[in-house]
Amino acid sequence: LHADYTGKFVKKGAPLFTLYSPDLVATQEEYLLAKETRERVTASDVAHIRSGAEAQVESARNRLLLWNLTEEQIAALEEQGPRREITIYSPLGGVVTKKAALQGMYVTPDMNLYEVADLSTVWVHADIYESEVSMVEVGQPAGVTLAVYPGEVFQGDVVYVYPYLNEETRTVKVRMEFANPAGKLKPGMYGDVEIRAAPETALAVPQDAVLNSGVRTLVFVDQGGGMYEPREVSLGSKVDRLYPVRSGLKAGEKVVTSGTFLIDSESKLMAAASMMGMLGMGGIRMEQAQMGEMEMGGMEGMEGMEGMKMDQPAGPREQTVDGLTLTMAADPEPPKKGANRLRLTIRSQGAPVTDAKVTLGYTMAMPGMEIETVEAKQTKNGVYEADADFAMRGAWDVEATVLRSGRPVKAKFTLSVGK
């Protein structure tokens, strides 16, 4: 064995192992005999005898090539005669990733003795959400960061978008190609991938301005004089916290950016009491709703709602699902209205889990309330953190999705958000 351990780097044409085979010896002898016969009949006047002898030489030579003999080895055979052993050389330069060959073992044609991989270029597979598929195309630049190389970004390109969806995780796999001259990218590593989509200039609204009823998508447009019109809009895929507007709005129109579900709920209550018109049939006078003072456009909150009783008892903070113990905490504790940091600790049989992909989705159990999804990053010892923005006080449901080896584990927690 010349390549005698897994992980060894071999150059193209470098010897891997030496093989003895009686069949190989017989094939060498057949080749030499065919050459000798050809030389004896060279002067023959019978054309088919000469052509037959030439065909036998060519056939025997081809059998030697099928044994992976090189041209140099065949030339040495012609000069030195048959050899009992033959050296098999690597067809490419790379790393020995698998070695089944052992000194003195008996081998058969169906056995894989070596696997040699050229790791100068590697593939990186990433899972992207279903809603993002339309933004990914072959040829787009991509970057990958790894925890083992903090601050270093490796550059590559998208080379293939798989044509099917993972039904369990609702993701599509994307394959990227990265140059790996220094060998830092090793098979089996995990990292975070950023795919840079082509920039698009479009009219956009904040995600908090959008009310999705499941039947239609609305925003509330300021008509002036305390009047707000529910406007049906067509939106594209969300980018960060913005939705591009395909139709339904014009540049410069002011929209409500906070508390839209409260406006919607209040308008329906007023309609039921015959105090205002049907939703969608003209403006809604918010003075009648008595919901407090509002600021349109950059509205921070609905101050008139602060007196409402929103507190709910907190749900369980620790759950065990499919062998994983999940513990949810917040900073500050208890969580407050506004920006918070959520911490999910994941353990398996008491040991921290550090190789998971974690997403947190949070919402309130209210009509029209959308689920905000954020990705949690591991900080240390199986602790995954993400920032959450709770728009109001009350009970918020937080669903954690933990993905390991393609299998999702889900757990739901309830957080009581105070002032």
Side-chain angles (χ1 to χ4, degrees), residues 1 17 31 51 96 177 231 235 258 261 270 282 292 301 357 390 416:
L1 298 178
F17 61 96
Y31 176 66
S51 62
V96 176
E177 193 172 273
R231 184 85 60 80
L235 305 176
S258 179
F261 64 96
M270 295 302 100
K357 181 178 181 180
F390 298 128
S416 182

Side-chain angles (χ1 to χ4, degrees), residues 297-314:
M299 185 167 61
E300 292 294 330
M302 304 190 70
E303 302 299 329
M305 297 301 293
E306 289 295 328
M308 295 180 64
K309 182 68 174 176
M310 300 297 291
D311 294 329
Q312 298 288 338

Side-chain angles (χ1 to χ4, degrees), residues 24-33 64 77 81-84:
L24 175 59
V25 175
T27 304
Q28 294 179 79
E29 292 175 344
E30 288 176 7
Y31 176 66
L32 294 177
L33 180 61
L64 290 174
L77 167 65
R83 300 185 59 184
R84 296 181 67 253

